[in-house]
């Protein structure tokens, strides 16, 4: 069995994407609980923290002016407007840990994941980010189920849920671009598939 753990000769840069509400945060949380050596790439965002979110843990919460300055300084691997707020992946959050031989996991929207793939393809073939790149699309069994999950999660206003559902149709149409697609119907089964991808079993 392939062992990717903490080996600089066998890096892993895991990019997990999904329509909002499909379960990517849940699956990433399960993965990090089982494999605490994973470094989570903490993004910057201009959205306000939700209850309980600490700065520097879920996100670096920054203002729009600072975000734009950091874009101009070239600090982001990619950045995008998602649901009306700015989000960006810091190069340092990915490249530093990979250079140290750590495994990196990222939670990102579908357009952002495609941008990351494009940027990584421009890196030298021997770079850890390129050699270890694995992008996974988490899908839902249906849009009805996605609505149910967004409603049950209870974090979004009704109009936000409608917007996320509209976005989901376009996002799901792009799933063929990804190295792997996992349909998150039964959670344990979906997690088993993610784990198998990561451990190479
Ligand atoms: P995302 O990070 O993709 O936006 P979340 O991980 O926040 O999605 O999941 C959205 C909601 O759906 C949460 O309330 C979560 O507990 C629930 N959920 C996740 N996976 C499943 C599943 N397989 N079956 C039912 N509910 C799920
Ligand atoms: P939330 O605000 O609910 O945490 O995240 C909203 C969306 O932004 C999710 O789809 C999440 O994956 C995405 N996202 C989080 N960080 C980044 C990032 O750095 N870049 C991009 N493009 N999207 C991100």
């Amino acid at each position: 069995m392939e062992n990717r753990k903490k080996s600089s000769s066998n890096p892993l840069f895991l990019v997990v994407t999904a329509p909002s509400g499909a379960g990517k945060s849940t699956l990433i949380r399960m993965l990090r609980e089982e494999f605490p050596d994973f470094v989570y790439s903490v993004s910057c965002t201009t959205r306000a923290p939700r209850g309980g979110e600490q700065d520097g843990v879920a996100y670096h919460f920054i203002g729009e002016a600072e975000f734009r300055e950091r874009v101009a300084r070239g600090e982001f691997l990619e950045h995008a407007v998602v649901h009306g707020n700015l989000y960006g992946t810091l190069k340092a959050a990915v490249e530093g840990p990979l250079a140290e031989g750590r495994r990196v996991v990222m939670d990102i929207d579908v357009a952002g994941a495609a941008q990351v793939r494009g940027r990584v393809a421009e890196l030298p073939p021997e770079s850890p980010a390129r050699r270890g790149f694995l992008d996974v699309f988490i899908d839902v069994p249906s849009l009805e189920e996605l609505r149910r999950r967004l409603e049950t999660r209870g974090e979004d206003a009704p109009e936000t849920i409608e917007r996320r559902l509209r976005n989901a149709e376009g996002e799901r149409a792009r799933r063929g671009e990804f190295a792997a697609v996992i349909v998150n119907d039964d959670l344990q089964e979906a997690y088993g598939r993610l784990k198998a991808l990561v451990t190479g079993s």
Side-chain angles (χ1 to χ4, degrees):
M1 193 202 299
E2 193 183 4
N3 180 11
R4 291 178 179 273
K5 193 173 182 181
K6 283 191 182 173
S7 162
S8 54
S9 62
N10 203 3
L12 179 61
F13 176 22
L14 178 65
V15 175
V16 181
T17 193
S20 184
K24 62 187 174 310
S25 317
T26 305
L27 288 164
I28 291 174
R29 193 161 48 241
M30 292 166 82
L31 189 70
R32 293 177 67 208
E33 271 165 24
E34 183 164 357
F35 303 101
D37 64 288
F38 265 96
V39 174
Y40 181 70
S41 164
V42 179
S43 296
C44 291
T45 182
T46 60
R47 85 150 161 77
R50 296 189 190 117
E53 279 182 338
Q54 280 175 33
D55 190 30
V57 179
Y59 289 102
H60 302 289
F61 295 99
I62 61 175
E64 191 166 336
E66 182 182 346
F67 197 103
R68 303 251 177 234
E69 277 163 28
R70 294 175 80 160
V71 171
R73 286 203 294 267
E75 289 187 25
F76 292 111
L77 188 60
E78 63 76 44
H79 66 281
V81 178
V82 186
H83 310 309
N85 291 296
L86 283 160
Y87 291 80
T89 305
L90 290 163
K91 286 179 187 165
V94 174
E95 289 170 0
L98 283 173
E100 290 167 9
R102 310 280 308 272
R103 306 192 282 191
V104 173
V105 59
M106 166 185 303
D107 173 335
I108 191 167
D109 81 301
V110 176
Q115 274 197 62
V116 170
R117 189 190 312 120
R119 295 297 295 269
V120 165
E122 292 164 2
L123 296 172
E126 67 280 7
S127 71
R130 186 155 163 195
R131 284 192 296 122
F133 188 72
L134 176 64
D135 56 343
V136 182
F137 186 98
I138 309 298
D139 205 357
V140 267
S142 66
L143 285 177
E144 293 71 39
E145 173 61 13
L146 186 59
R147 175 186 293 279
R148 204 186 60 76
R149 286 185 195 173
L150 288 168
E151 287 172 354
T152 309
R153 188 167 68 178
E155 278 174 3
D156 302 305
E159 61 272 21
T160 306
I161 291 182
E162 294 311 320
R163 190 169 66 217
R164 290 186 174 211
L165 286 167
R166 278 197 303 278
N167 289 346
E169 292 185 55
E171 291 169 338
R172 293 180 84 206
R174 299 186 66 172
R175 63 186 204 162
E177 296 174 16
F178 292 83
V181 177
I182 296 174
V183 179
N184 180 18
D185 189 353
D186 177 78
L187 182 61
Q188 292 303 330
E189 216 171 280
Y191 178 65
R193 293 200 51 210
L194 181 63
K195 183 175 158 181
L197 277 177
V198 162
T199 57
S201 61

